[in-house]
Amino acid sequence: MNNSVAKEKIISLRKKRSLEDMRFKYYGFTAMCLSLAVLVFLLYTIFSKGYTAFQKTIVLLEVDYDQEVLKLTPDSSDEEMEKGKFFRVKKQAIENFFPDLSKSDIKLVKKLFSINVDNEIKHYFLDNPEVINTKQQIWVTAHSDVDQLLKGNSRRDVPEDRRKLNDIQLSYVDQLVEEKRVKQVFNNFFFTKADSRHPEIAGVAGSFMGSLFTLFTVFILSFPVAIGASVYLEEFAPKNRITELIEVNISNLAAVPSIVFGLLGLGVLLNVFGLPRSTPLVGGSVLALMTLPTIIIACRASLKAVPPSIKEGALAVGATKTQAVFHHVVPLALPGTLTGTIIGLAQALGETAPLIMIGMIAFIPNIPTGLTEPSAALPVQIYLWVESAERGFQEKSAAAIMVILIFLFMMNAIAVFLRNRFERKW
Amino acid sequence: MSNSKILANGVDVYYGSKQALFGISMDIKEKEVTALIGPSGCGKSTFLRCINRMNDLIEICKVSGSIKVDNEEIISEKTDVVSLRSKIGMVFQKPNPFPKSIFDNVAYGPTIHGLVDSKNDLEEIVHSSLKKAGLFDEVKDRLNEPGTSLSGGQQQRLCIARAIAVNPEIILMDEPCSALDPIATAIIEELIDDLRLNYTIIIVTHSMQQAARVSQKTCFFHLGELIETGETNKIFTNPDNTKTQDYITGRFG
Amino acid sequence: MFFWSLVLIAVGIFSSFIYGRSRIKLNSKKQGTKSKSLPNYYAQYVLMWCLFPALIVYFSWAIFQEQIIQNIVISNFEFIEGAVYNEGLLLAEIRNVANNPSFADGKSIEIINAASHYSSLRQISQISFYTSIIIIMLLGALYASQKLKPEFHAQHTIEKYIQYILIFCSSVAIFTTIGIVFSLIFESLRFFAEVSIFEFLFSTEWYPFIPIREGQTAAEGSFGAVPIFAGTFLVMVVAMCVAAPLGLLTAIYLAEYASPRVRKTVKPLLEILAGIPTIVYGFFAFVSVAPFVKAFGQSIGIDASPTSALAAGMVMGVMIIPFISSLSDDVINSVPQSLREASLGIGANKAETIKKVILPAALPGIVGAFLLAISRAIGETMIVVVAAGTAPNLTGNPFENVTTVTVQIVVALIGDQEFDNPRTLSAFALGLVLFVITLFLNIIALQIVKRYRERYE
């Protein structure tokens, strides 16, 4: 083959090769965009499904606080008022909600209201006791089925037997809309109430507090232990078999599936040590063990980053090794460790499976106030709501996801802030 | 003639299997400045770090032989390293102030050794140490600012003040001026000259001029061996050994 | 008890500290010598002798109190002849009555007696708890105060104690592993006492429904885990089919083609993807991807189940993308620049350099990354719990509903947990399998990556 032929061949190949190069680059670019597109789509899905949960539907109800029905008098004491027969007032109000209702119609109308209406009627009265023997127009919470219908989450065009609201109820709702006796307002229940069987009064306050208590436990347990372990391994440990074993152990522990930690919590913390089930104490302990490797890795990295000259300076003025390490090296490694800890806590916040294993999946309708009280946690709450058949819970789960994502975002922002603020260039 | 403060006899140092120092013997007199010179990697810093046992930090480092400080053996298991180091201050190549306030930098030593009982005493020590290091006038208004905010030369003097504050008898200086500009260097050299009155100083230096300017005795190291030791004047004008001659005339190094 | 005992301990350590400090000052003044260490070290010494015994008492009480009380109550319970009792329920009932007297209405006299017995025992326990904490703290302080002499080198002792504490901290990781291994093996052995290990590993029938009450002669459950393993494998394969190409190509693009600005923006975005809790992916799979898969299946004439391996696997793949891309990115970046230059220097273009030089050089690292990703996929729980289904199904069709190891663990442990039931115990056997496989994958992957690193360092 002579030279010129070879050259020609190279030139003809060059075009093809550069095309191939372009194509390959394009593949990479597409892959990246696809991954990011999924992220956007995911966030969009959550937002579009969840934003409606921040509003609730309320209905205008005329309530007659008749003293006969209430079995109260204007002079009744507070305690007596507490025990007033408000359910009878409510019953009456619903009977008169639309003119000329038959018995079966009343049953249907009743289902348009939330179970919480009794409570709202009662509280309105307790706040304004002077309304006794008057008729009041009160906005009360609508049933989740009405709420979902008006938000457009459940559809009207499916056959009646597969709908929550039948045709008569639909016509009632339409009438209410027409008479402007129904509107949508900010859903305060979502942020102030714990879980409930009724979507319209279910909120994230309980699980949020549960998550906070859990994270608190994680922090209290894992932060000092992780620092102790890192300081030992980085500064004091002799280079021997045992140290190596510990290090291998930590790196493998970091990759053990979270559900296995849940089994550990169940098998050891609950069954052997008999700690109280479903509590943030146990959940936090399990997650602390899970988070430990993350914090240790971060802490060791920041200990390594402290220049040895600082330690030498302390040793040279006669500090013992322990003093040099704890007076100078550890404080300098703290910001980095804290950053790692927050990232570890953010992971722990989203962990679901281990909490299910130790029973934090129980239905807890009140807001926990301590570490040893049964409580839910945000991710488990999301799981429970995703699994619920009721339509009304789906928007709740998406909204709870928004809450948890915002929480995560804030934690990461704090971590980034800490890193930028305290990171030292040596 | 004053007494010998430090007496080294047959000091060998190994890094793992590699021998770094070969049978160093040396006699260092009280209240004198002794300069250790030699090309880089010759073992002068290693020897310096034997004197306050800073070599302990390096796990693979093994020291044998004998070094006596005030007639007390220090290369031994029984040596109380902490009190040894409080007796022998050290200043490092790169200024390494703690990332704390100027005051806390100097106060750290006295505090951990319990040299003071009251806040006033501590202040007294900090001020006098800073004065001895010739830094007080420059920083007296900003003792609470971080030590790292000072200039390089000031930082190095802060480190000297920090070493002085624990009231040592010996100060080891490991190329204290190598990271400084000429003006800061001159100030430190002047300071060394002042400190000589109260402290025994051993200085490792790269610069022969510096050795000539500040020291009374000079020791020349080469490839882990102590080639020659003697009066500084003599070493720089009329060395016995040809290697020393070659080094100080700049033929290698 | 929780809060006030902590306050008690806090008060104890505070006063012990003050006491130690003043005592040593006094002693050294009396002897006219300076103490060997600073006064604070003596104070810390007393403090430690106060704190640690108290903590030991505290934790042993917290752990054993309830069980001991329950045992006493049960052993004194006046069982009525012939009646069948469930100990757990009985205890719950007794506790309820004891904690809330209004529940006593309509309960049998035995229960009410037991409840009052229970409350009185609790009271005794509380009182003795507080007294023993106080006594143990005093004893500790007393012991320590004998050592408060100027010639005692408290700092040495304290530093020794600190070493012990640090060693304890680092051994927590070991204890965790031991705890995991032991609890898994122990419960699995109980499981294999009832179910043969061969049936578990090789049989294809998984009907974990065991008669709950005695005398019920329903069909014996069968515990062949093959369909579960197959389901896990199928979901993992789907996930890797999504994650491997996307993750690797993204990594290549970021490492070799992207401008620094693109890299700087895309990497944190991918980290967001990695930081999203898995339950969120589960939700996403459930509400968006699964219906889409079902519709897609119908459009090409396949009857897809509403929860399918495909939906769960695809979403899991998305979850793993950042994992693979960041690991591969590291690996590709650690290929020496000289190799790149050598290839580009003889006129190869970028794509050729990547395909012919960089990827082969980085292959071990990438394989390691994939293995780690696989281990992640196998251990992932929430996505499959929500989106894959719970019924075992031995199939290779990704449109069908399958179940995985993690799902079965969750299913077995939700609800009533009686530990004498093979169904509950099967969770631990499955957990053991999961643990062993992921551990195995990890060790191999870490070895490969480590060896790869060493080659280029």
Side-chain angles (χ1 to χ4, degrees):
Chain A
M1 196 190 288
N2 71 34
N3 232 349
S4 66
V5 177
K7 237 178 210 163
E8 235 167 70
K9 212 168 180 187
I10 288 177
I11 289 168
S12 74
L13 257 176
R14 193 178 292 160
K15 228 180 183 175
K16 206 175 136 201
R17 283 173 52 202
S18 73
L19 251 172
E20 194 121 302
D21 188 30
M22 285 300 292
R23 202 179 315 150
F24 192 65
K25 183 177 170 181
Y26 181 70
Y27 286 156
F29 184 72
T30 317
M32 186 186 80
C33 291
L34 218 64
S35 313
L36 295 180
V38 174
L39 176 65
V40 172
F41 182 49
L42 179 117
L43 294 177
Y44 168 75
T45 307
I46 288 161
F47 183 77
S48 65
K49 299 263 178 204
Y51 78 98
T52 49
F54 297 115
Q55 292 210 312
K56 63 175 178 181
T57 306
I58 50 177
V59 184
L60 195 61
L61 181 66
E62 191 181 64
V63 183
D64 184 3
Y65 286 108
D66 184 35
Q67 73 175 50
E68 294 295 310
V69 183
L70 278 171
K71 300 217 166 142
L72 290 174
T73 63
D75 320 313
S76 295
S77 70
D78 288 354
E79 271 165 51
E80 283 166 340
M81 285 193 186
E82 278 281 338
K83 288 185 180 151
K85 308 288 181 196
F86 295 100
F87 68 93
R88 293 171 60 179
V89 172
K90 172 198 165 195
K91 205 170 152 219
Q92 217 177 45
I94 288 176
E95 278 164 9
N96 300 322
F97 189 58
F98 291 116
D100 311 323
L101 287 170
S102 74
K103 257 212 167 129
S104 61
D105 288 342
I106 291 172
K107 257 190 182 162
L108 291 176
V109 171
K110 203 175 159 202
K111 283 191 180 147
L112 299 179
F113 291 93
S114 164
I115 185 118
N116 198 40
V117 169
D118 293 33
N119 233 329
E120 289 165 29
I121 291 175
K122 176 177 167 187
H123 277 107
Y124 182 83
F125 180 76
L126 293 180
D127 290 344
N128 320 289
E130 71 278 1
V131 298
I132 194 160
N133 288 329
T134 60
K135 286 190 175 176
Q136 294 289 322
Q137 303 274 336
I138 307 178
W139 288 99
V140 295
T141 311
H143 194 276
S144 169
D145 295 337
V146 177
D147 185 47
Q148 291 303 307
L149 181 80
L150 292 178
K151 284 172 179 169
N153 290 344
S154 47
R155 291 160 51 183
R156 291 161 167 269
D157 48 6
V158 287
E160 189 174 11
D161 55 337
R162 285 175 56 196
R163 246 189 280 130
K164 289 274 185 178
L165 299 174
N166 64 20
D167 291 341
I168 305 172
Q169 284 170 317
L170 278 187
S171 68
Y172 286 149
V173 174
D174 291 338
Q175 193 181 339
L176 286 177
V177 172
E178 210 160 286
E179 293 170 3
K180 300 225 161 91
R181 286 165 75 185
V182 55
K183 67 175 178 184
Q184 305 222 328
V185 291
F186 173 69
N187 184 358
N188 54 334
F189 290 159
F190 185 69
F191 296 101
T192 54
K193 290 208 182 273
D195 198 8
S196 166
R197 304 266 184 228
H198 308 279
E200 71 274 9
I201 51 169
V204 291
S207 48
F208 186 82
M209 286 312 288
S211 272
L212 276 191
F213 283 127
T214 308
L215 283 192
F216 175 76
T217 316
V218 173
F219 180 78
I220 288 291
L221 292 178
S222 62
F223 188 64
V225 170
I227 288 185
S230 319
V231 167
Y232 182 72
L233 293 174
E234 205 55 49
E235 304 283 348
F236 294 105
K239 295 268 170 293
N240 61 19
R241 269 274 181 71
I242 298 174
T243 312
E244 206 177 306
L245 182 74
I246 295 178
E247 293 190 357
V248 171
N249 203 304
I250 289 170
S251 63
N252 277 321
L253 215 50
V256 171
S258 61
I259 194 166
V260 173
F261 280 94
L263 289 174
L264 168 77
L266 177 62
V268 176
L269 296 182
L270 294 185
N271 284 358
V272 178
F273 290 148
L275 294 177
R277 267 180 74 88
S278 311
T279 55
L281 181 68
V282 179
S285 310
V286 172
L287 294 182
L289 294 178
M290 255 187 72
T291 317
L292 211 51
T294 314
I295 307 182
I296 290 179
I297 289 165
C299 183
R300 289 188 68 175
S302 15
L303 284 172
K304 258 193 204 123
V306 176
S309 70
I310 300 287
K311 195 165 72 182
E312 283 182 350
L315 290 173
V317 295
T320 61
K321 203 168 171 187
T322 313
Q323 284 174 326
V325 169
F326 279 97
H327 292 171
H328 297 287
V329 183
V330 172
L332 291 174
L334 269 189
T337 311
L338 215 55
T339 309
T341 308
I342 294 173
I343 290 169
L345 286 181
Q347 280 171 13
L349 173 65
E351 256 334 312
T352 321
L355 299 184
I356 293 180
M357 299 286 97
I358 56 103
M360 279 179 95
I361 192 166
F363 172 73
I364 314 282
N366 36 17
I367 299 175
T369 54
L371 294 181
T372 49
E373 262 177 55
S375 69
L378 265 179
V380 183
Q381 185 70 76
I382 294 167
Y383 168 66
L384 284 171
W385 283 345
V386 171
E387 293 278 274
S388 309
E390 285 218 45
R391 267 249 161 244
F393 281 121
Q394 204 177 69
E395 59 165 20
K396 291 278 186 295
S397 56
I401 287 175
M402 283 157 81
V403 171
I404 205 174
L405 287 182
I406 288 169
F407 200 179
L408 281 178
F409 177 77
M410 272 166 26
M411 286 172 83
N412 280 303
I414 292 173
V416 170
F417 170 78
L418 272 178
R419 186 158 54 198
N420 294 342
R421 175 80 176 68
F422 290 104
E423 196 177 48
R424 241 176 233 277
K425 288 268 183 281
W426 298 99
Chain B
M1 247 329 235
S2 50
N3 297 327
S4 56
K5 187 77 182 166
I6 302 171
L7 196 66
N9 203 348
V11 177
D12 291 331
V13 175
Y14 293 85
Y15 289 119
S17 57
K18 189 177 160 279
Q19 188 164 6
L21 286 181
F22 298 84
I24 307 294
S25 300
M26 193 187 288
D27 181 1
I28 290 167
K29 299 279 186 262
E30 200 172 359
K31 293 184 182 162
E32 267 188 352
V33 178
T34 306
L36 310 184
I37 61 169
S40 42
C42 65
K44 49 195 195 304
S45 288
T46 303
F47 179 70
L48 192 76
R49 286 166 157 261
C50 289
I51 300 175
N52 69 346
R53 298 274 300 268
M54 281 306 257
N55 278 337
D56 291 10
L57 293 184
I58 304 162
E59 245 162 75
I60 54 165
C61 181
K62 289 224 161 46
V63 182
S64 62
S66 144
I67 299 178
K68 286 188 172 146
V69 176
D70 287 338
N71 277 326
E72 249 180 80
E73 181 58 53
I74 62 156
I75 308 290
S76 130
E77 291 279 307
K78 278 178 268 170
T79 313
D80 181 357
V81 183
V82 168
S83 64
L84 175 75
R85 285 182 192 150
S86 65
K87 192 162 145 187
I88 306 178
M90 184 161 189
V91 177
F92 296 84
Q93 190 168 358
K94 245 182 91 188
N96 59 345
F98 303 135
K100 297 183 171 184
S101 74
I102 295 172
F103 186 91
D104 288 346
N105 259 286
V106 184
Y108 181 67
T111 319
I112 58 166
H113 290 299
L115 297 181
V116 289
D117 293 324
S118 69
K119 267 222 160 104
N120 282 341
D121 290 359
L122 185 62
E123 214 161 88
E124 175 73 36
I125 287 196
V126 170
H127 288 185
S128 73
S129 309
L130 284 171
K131 273 178 198 151
K132 281 186 206 159
L135 191 63
F136 187 66
D137 290 333
E138 292 163 54
V139 300
K140 64 181 172 209
D141 302 324
R142 44 178 178 144
L143 289 176
N144 288 322
E145 280 177 32
T148 40
S149 67
L150 297 173
S151 74
Q154 287 173 324
Q155 284 190 13
Q156 196 59 297
R157 277 180 283 152
L158 179 62
C159 292
I160 293 175
R162 183 175 73 191
I164 292 172
V166 282
N167 207 9
E169 294 164 25
I170 302 165
I171 300 176
L172 309 177
M173 297 187 174
D174 190 355
E175 302 194 25
C177 302
S178 65
L180 305 181
D181 60 69
I183 296 169
T185 303
I187 296 173
I188 301 250
E189 284 178 7
E190 230 169 84
L191 175 62
I192 293 173
D193 223 33
D194 292 342
L195 292 175
R196 178 166 64 97
L197 302 173
N198 298 310
Y199 305 95
T200 307
I201 296 173
I202 306 173
I203 177 170
V204 165
T205 174
H206 231 71
S207 136
M208 280 167 285
Q209 290 86 338
Q210 188 172 57
R213 282 194 297 264
V214 300
S215 70
Q216 283 75 51
K217 290 274 170 52
T218 298
C219 308
F220 173 61
F221 281 70
H222 183 52
L223 295 177
E225 285 180 78
L226 178 59
I227 305 295
E228 190 170 354
T229 167
E231 298 288 327
T232 301
N233 282 338
K234 181 170 176 296
I235 296 267
F236 278 96
T237 51
N238 186 19
D240 293 333
N241 194 300
T242 50
K243 275 188 197 155
T244 320
Q245 174 95 41
D246 289 350
Y247 181 68
I248 60 173
T249 52
R251 248 173 253 162
F252 68 88
Chain C
M1 177 169 134
F2 188 73
F3 178 71
W4 286 109
S5 48
L6 285 186
V7 170
L8 183 67
I9 292 178
V11 169
I13 60 178
F14 182 73
S15 42
S16 65
F17 187 87
I18 301 288
Y19 166 74
R21 220 181 121 90
S22 51
R23 183 66 191 270
I24 186 63
K25 281 187 177 165
L26 199 77
N27 280 359
S28 50
K29 201 177 263 174
K30 238 192 269 167
Q31 291 190 13
T33 47
K34 209 164 167 303
S35 56
K36 280 216 163 169
S37 311
L38 294 179
N40 272 356
Y41 285 101
Y42 295 90
Q44 284 172 27
Y45 181 75
V46 185
L47 184 152
M48 286 198 178
W49 272 99
C50 243
L51 175 64
F52 287 105
L55 281 185
I56 291 172
V57 170
Y58 178 84
F59 282 114
S60 40
W61 225 277
I63 291 168
F64 299 117
Q65 158 178 278
E66 191 63 29
Q67 289 191 329
I68 293 173
I69 293 181
Q70 284 178 4
N71 281 343
I72 298 176
V73 168
I74 285 292
S75 66
N76 286 332
F77 190 75
E78 303 144 27
F79 288 99
I80 300 167
E81 296 259 342
V84 185
Y85 290 94
N86 178 326
E87 208 168 280
L89 289 180
L90 184 64
L91 272 171
E93 209 167 342
I94 293 174
R95 260 202 312 262
N96 265 341
V97 174
N99 292 338
N100 203 338
S102 62
F103 289 165
D105 299 345
K107 293 276 153 53
S108 69
I109 185 74
E110 293 83 24
I111 297 241
I112 293 172
N113 284 344
S116 70
H117 188 198
Y118 176 83
S119 342
S120 71
L121 281 176
R122 271 202 83 113
Q123 222 152 28
I124 295 171
S125 163
Q126 293 255 313
I127 293 167
S128 45
F129 169 70
Y130 285 113
T131 16
S132 47
I133 280 218
I134 291 172
I135 289 175
I136 201 94
M137 287 206 292
L138 286 177
L139 282 178
L142 193 71
Y143 170 80
S145 69
Q146 287 179 328
K147 296 255 187 150
L148 295 183
K149 293 178 183 131
E151 62 269 21
F152 170 61
H153 211 321
Q155 188 180 355
H156 283 180
T157 317
I158 287 291
E159 291 188 352
K160 213 166 62 194
Y161 289 173
I162 289 178
Q163 287 282 316
Y164 295 150
I165 296 172
L166 294 184
I167 291 174
F168 171 78
C169 287
S170 11
S171 54
V172 167
I174 300 261
F175 288 136
T176 308
T177 310
I178 293 175
I180 289 176
V181 170
F182 268 73
S183 62
L184 289 181
I185 288 182
F186 181 70
E187 307 287 356
S188 300
L189 283 179
R190 284 175 63 190
F191 174 71
F192 289 127
E194 296 188 35
V195 176
S196 115
I197 189 163
F198 293 102
E199 181 193 336
F200 178 69
L201 288 180
F202 302 112
S203 162
T204 57
E205 297 280 304
W206 181 265
Y207 292 115
F209 307 109
I210 287 286
I212 296 169
R213 253 168 270 113
E214 239 163 290
Q216 222 176 15
T217 46
E220 282 274 302
S222 66
F223 290 89
V226 172
I228 301 174
F229 299 146
T232 311
F233 185 74
L234 182 63
V235 173
M236 183 272 285
V237 168
V238 173
M240 288 306 287
C241 285
V242 172
L246 284 181
L248 188 56
L249 283 173
T250 305
I252 290 172
Y253 183 78
L254 285 178
E256 301 287 333
Y257 288 108
S259 68
R261 240 187 63 209
V262 171
R263 215 183 340 233
K264 241 184 161 175
T265 35
V266 171
K267 276 196 160 185
L269 286 176
L270 286 176
E271 272 173 39
I272 294 181
L273 213 50
I276 291 176
T278 54
I279 178 68
V280 177
Y281 284 104
F283 173 84
F284 180 58
F286 185 69
V287 303
S288 293
V289 182
F292 169 76
V293 167
K294 189 169 159 59
F296 176 74
Q298 266 159 358
S299 74
I300 58 168
I302 298 173
D303 189 23
S305 109
T307 53
S308 58
L310 194 59
M314 272 163 55
V315 173
M316 193 187 277
V318 171
M319 183 198 84
I320 300 175
I321 288 174
F323 194 70
I324 289 188
S325 77
S326 81
L327 283 174
S328 308
D329 195 28
D330 286 352
V331 166
I332 292 171
N333 275 327
S334 63
V335 172
Q337 196 59 26
S338 57
L339 279 183
R340 252 172 226 122
E341 282 161 2
S343 167
L344 294 172
I346 56 168
N349 62 30
K350 258 194 167 167
E352 287 160 350
T353 306
I354 293 165
K355 280 190 274 193
K356 302 265 163 65
V357 178
I358 295 177
L359 285 186
L363 190 65
I366 292 171
V367 169
F370 281 13
L371 286 182
L372 286 176
I374 289 176
S375 122
R376 261 253 167 125
I378 291 176
E380 171 44 41
T381 311
M382 292 324 291
I383 295 176
V384 278
V385 165
V386 175
T390 54
N393 185 2
L394 190 55
T395 175
N397 179 357
F399 284 99
E400 274 186 53
N401 161 48
V402 296
T403 192
T404 71
V405 174
T406 48
V407 172
Q408 286 307 314
I409 295 175
V410 170
V411 169
L413 292 179
I414 285 184
D416 256 348
Q417 290 170 11
E418 289 297 329
F419 271 77
D420 43 12
N421 186 334
R423 173 158 168 71
T424 314
L425 292 173
S426 71
F428 286 88
L430 290 171
L432 184 63
V433 173
L434 183 66
F435 178 72
V436 169
I437 290 176
T438 50
L439 188 70
F440 187 66
L441 283 172
N442 270 311
I443 290 175
I444 294 179
L446 290 180
Q447 272 301 318
I448 293 177
V449 172
K450 198 174 144 203
R451 228 176 273 162
Y452 167 77
R453 286 266 151 78
E454 277 162 7
R455 188 175 348 151
Y456 290 125
E457 255 165 26

